[in-house]
Amino acid sequence: MGLLSPILRQADDVLIWRCPGCERNHAVRVGSSSDGNGPGWGWNGSAERPTFTPSVLVSYPGKDAGQDGAPPAVCHSFVVDGQMQMLGDCTHALAGQTVPIPPWPGGLA
């Protein structure tokens, strides 16, 4: 996995960052797919202040998902200029807030 900046990594045509809300990695495929899987997310080309379009919606089994048959947890955001605009349907504590994408834990190592 290539290190693009303190906040963004790349694996082939996939860009990956760490979300401070759900404490999970989020990844999007950017550009057009050569394998026929259609278009990916738009990216402004900045590794320091990335913007991705459209929004990023992730569901996951998490502590904020509840228990015993509860629906999965949700992290839904717009990523604009290196900031995550957490939407109201997030099930984590940062729902409705805008926060910077944090550096990778442990730095770039």
Side-chain angles (χ1 to χ4, degrees):
M1 182 174 348
L3 305 172
L4 296 179
S5 74
I7 66 169
L8 197 62
R9 295 183 178 196
Q10 183 173 16
D12 297 319
D13 60 351
V14 175
L15 298 176
I16 307 157
W17 67 98
R18 186 81 177 164
C19 174
C22 64
E23 300 178 354
R24 295 179 172 270
N25 294 346
H26 291 336
V28 294
R29 187 176 46 79
V30 295
S32 296
S33 172
S34 60
D35 61 8
N37 284 329
W41 271 256
W43 175 39
N44 68 347
S46 174
E48 300 290 332
R49 297 178 57 127
T51 295
F52 302 113
T53 53
S55 66
V56 179
L57 174 61
V58 177
S59 62
Y60 58 96
K63 61 185 175 191
D64 51 315
Q67 300 180 27
D68 299 324
V74 172
C75 184
H76 192 189
S77 65
F78 286 107
V79 178
V80 180
D81 290 327
Q83 302 280 315
M84 294 185 72
Q85 300 171 355
M86 306 294 187
L87 300 176
D89 58 344
C90 291
T91 55
H92 55 66
L94 295 182
Q97 298 179 46
T98 299
V99 296
I101 298 172
W104 281 92
L108 293 176

